[in-house]
Amino acid sequence: MLLLLLVIVFIALLYGLWRYHRQSDSLSRSVFLGLFIGVLYGLVLSAFNIDTESFLPWVNIVGNGYVNLLKMIAMPLVFVSILAAIARLEKASMIGSMSFWIISTLLITTGIAAVDGAIIANLFHLDASSIVAGEQELARGQSMIESSSEVADLTIPGLILSFIPTSIGGTLVGLESTSMISAVVIASLLGMAALTVNKNDPEKGALIIRAIDVLQSWIMALVRFIIRLTPYGVMALMIKVIVTTDADAIWQLAKFLVASYVALFIMLIVHAFIIMLAGRSPIDHFKKIAPVLTFAFTSRSSAATIPLSIDAQVNKLGIAKPIANFSASFGSTIGQNGCAGVYPAMLAMMIAPTMGIDPWSISFIASVAGVAMIASFGVAGVGGGATFAAIIVLSTLGMPLELAGLLISIEPLIDMMRTLVNVSGSITAGVVGDKVLGNTTEQASFDDSSAQVG
């Protein structure tokens, strides 16, 4: 009976949100209303200590289902958008310029994020030896040790080789951890081939461009439909976050949680400073991408946020389509400021005192930042986000991996803000790329009927 009541209330809230969303002309307001409803309902369930074990699977149909839909369209959206953008470029050499500026921005900001995380961890006097390890934490640490074998033989040549696709079909269905970057490579090569055909035989080239336009319109129609589901997905995700959060564990590890959020918030300030140097208003910038960051926060998935990120960059920020697609794609796998920058650095600083290392040592902090930048590239090669970034950094520095498992109880809450910062960093890279190359890159946006995020 209780389960039936909870499901009925959940459906009623979804219906009310649907009624509001149908009448509202702003997806942003609907998203934030969904966020508010989700938090409120979750708090009510937690306050009355209601057992939600049988209820959450119903919530997951909406929340996880929406995330799955976004992951589903991420690959075809990136592939078709980059293919269409490059096929219309005047010069194929512009691809190299876009990649250079976007990847450079991602790596530099990741280095800054690592230094930021190291300093904040030291200022908060974080020390892994003060955290009591339970069964879950020790199991997580052991799992990280076992997973380290996947990155033990990681080399730069091997990493680069992993980006080169061996199968178009296998890449597009996401069989490999590097499939997203490989899809960018395939789309770029096919786009350059289209440029060649258009140059040698304009009549056939026009047919290819027309076929690409039709395919892009088809994919964008699907994207617009799924983006309209954002308020309901956010609402369900927030209900799950609230009712599954262990308040006692958070209290015990509150210092690390607060320190993490401080360091991650500082990175948002760094992004704002970069945005200002690019000649844009930081306040206006974050206002326009707020719904994208909200979804990144609730979904904890940089990859799932790609469609929203591309749409916001093009329609809200006026960034050229090729640059928006490159920054969103690369930013989901390379140079993640939160997962590969702040987080591993803070872990290293926590562990350092237990090994007799001075965490304030300039050389140690510099080495952590350098390794973090390399690891931010390595994450794309092995998959696994922050966990593998931590494995690469800690193992490279000769630190015990099992200590990282001590933070498992608050990992979800930290991961929410980490993902938000990752996405913000990728959009910042798009702004930088557009500032440098925008005047020479196609400025066309999605068609006027596209869904507006914000």
Side-chain angles (χ1 to χ4, degrees):
M1 181 62 70
L2 177 60
L3 173 61
L4 179 61
L5 177 61
L6 294 178
V7 173
I8 290 175
V9 172
F10 178 59
I11 294 175
L13 291 175
L14 286 174
Y15 176 74
L17 183 59
W18 173 77
R19 290 289 301 269
Y20 175 84
H21 185 36
R22 189 179 64 171
Q23 299 172 3
S24 174
D25 60 353
S26 172
L27 185 58
S28 297
R29 287 194 288 270
S30 297
V31 169
F32 285 115
L33 178 60
L35 176 70
F36 175 76
I37 294 174
V39 170
L40 186 61
Y41 192 32
L43 289 175
V44 170
L45 295 176
S46 298
F48 287 94
N49 200 25
I50 296 175
D51 182 8
T52 57
E53 183 177 354
S54 57
F55 172 58
L56 283 181
W58 295 94
V59 176
N60 288 338
I61 293 177
V62 178
N64 293 356
Y66 176 66
V67 172
N68 290 343
L69 287 175
L70 283 176
K71 289 181 178 179
M72 176 193 74
I73 65 172
M75 182 69 75
L77 173 62
V78 168
F79 178 81
V80 173
S81 298
I82 290 180
L83 174 60
I86 291 177
R88 297 190 186 94
L89 290 177
E90 295 181 2
K91 299 178 181 179
S93 60
M94 294 173 62
I95 301 173
S97 299
M98 285 190 291
S99 300
F100 172 79
W101 283 104
I102 289 171
I103 293 177
S104 294
T105 302
L106 290 171
L107 293 180
I108 291 172
T109 52
T110 298
I112 295 173
V115 174
D116 166 37
I119 292 176
I120 294 301
N122 288 336
L123 290 176
F124 274 77
H125 303 291
L126 299 181
D127 189 340
S129 62
S130 62
I131 302 177
V132 178
E135 291 184 7
Q136 277 190 312
E137 289 77 10
L138 291 175
R140 171 63 179 277
Q142 184 60 37
S143 175
M144 293 183 70
I145 293 175
E146 295 172 356
S147 299
S148 65
S149 60
E150 296 186 37
V151 297
D153 300 324
L154 186 66
T155 63
I156 298 300
L159 176 63
I160 295 174
L161 184 62
S162 70
F163 295 156
I164 302 176
T166 58
S167 167
I168 293 179
T171 295
L172 296 184
V173 297
L175 295 180
E176 302 293 337
S177 59
T178 56
S179 289
M180 187 61 73
I181 295 180
S182 296
V184 173
V185 173
I186 293 173
S188 300
L189 292 175
L190 288 176
M192 288 188 286
L195 290 175
T196 301
V197 173
N198 191 48
K199 179 180 179 180
N200 297 332
D201 191 336
E203 185 176 348
K204 291 182 179 179
L207 290 176
I208 293 176
I209 296 297
R210 181 174 177 79
I212 293 174
D213 286 342
V214 172
L215 182 59
Q216 185 181 32
S217 297
W218 191 8
I219 295 297
M220 285 311 304
L222 176 62
V223 170
R224 289 193 295 270
F225 172 75
I226 293 177
I227 287 178
R228 296 291 295 177
L229 302 176
T230 302
Y232 319 111
V234 168
M235 177 186 131
L237 289 169
M238 283 311 302
I239 292 174
K240 180 180 179 180
V241 168
I242 296 298
V243 300
T244 57
T245 298
D246 187 340
D248 291 335
I250 293 174
W251 178 256
Q252 293 175 16
L253 298 171
K255 183 188 288 188
F256 182 82
L257 181 65
V258 172
S260 297
Y261 270 71
V262 170
L264 291 166
F265 183 76
I266 289 175
M267 278 312 300
L268 293 179
I269 297 177
V270 172
H271 294 165
F273 181 70
I274 295 174
I275 297 301
M276 186 170 61
L277 291 179
R280 296 172 179 251
S281 166
I283 295 177
D284 184 60
H285 171 86
F286 282 107
K287 181 179 178 181
K288 289 178 177 178
I289 68 171
V292 182
L293 299 184
T294 298
F295 176 75
F297 185 85
T298 55
S299 69
R300 297 167 52 196
S301 175
S302 297
T305 313
I306 288 176
L308 302 180
S309 175
I310 293 174
D311 185 64
Q313 288 188 61
V314 175
N315 286 318
K316 294 298 184 180
L317 302 179
I319 293 174
K321 288 172 69 175
I323 294 174
N325 281 283
F326 268 71
S327 65
S329 304
F330 283 130
S332 68
T333 49
I334 295 175
Q336 297 186 344
N337 293 181
C339 288
V342 170
Y343 184 65
M346 294 189 73
L347 290 182
M349 293 303 126
M350 287 183 66
I351 297 172
T354 68
M355 300 180 64
I357 300 174
D358 178 11
W360 280 110
S361 169
I362 300 299
S363 60
F364 178 65
I365 293 177
S367 64
V368 169
V371 172
M373 292 175 68
I374 297 174
S376 72
F377 239 111
V379 169
V382 297
T387 298
F388 277 102
I391 289 173
I392 296 172
V393 171
L394 297 181
S395 61
T396 301
L397 296 173
M399 293 183 158
L401 298 177
E402 62 270 17
L403 290 179
L406 298 177
L407 305 170
I408 185 175
S409 53
I410 58 171
E411 180 76 11
L413 283 181
I414 299 174
D415 195 38
M416 295 169 73
M417 190 63 177
R418 281 197 314 238
T419 306
L420 183 151
V421 171
N422 292 342
V423 173
S424 176
S426 71
I427 296 177
T428 300
V431 171
V432 172
D434 193 71
K435 173 65 176 178
V436 178
L437 305 168
N439 293 332
T440 58
T441 307
E442 180 190 8
Q443 295 285 348
S445 62
F446 295 140
D447 59 76
D448 294 337
S449 61
S450 66
Q452 301 295 311
V453 182

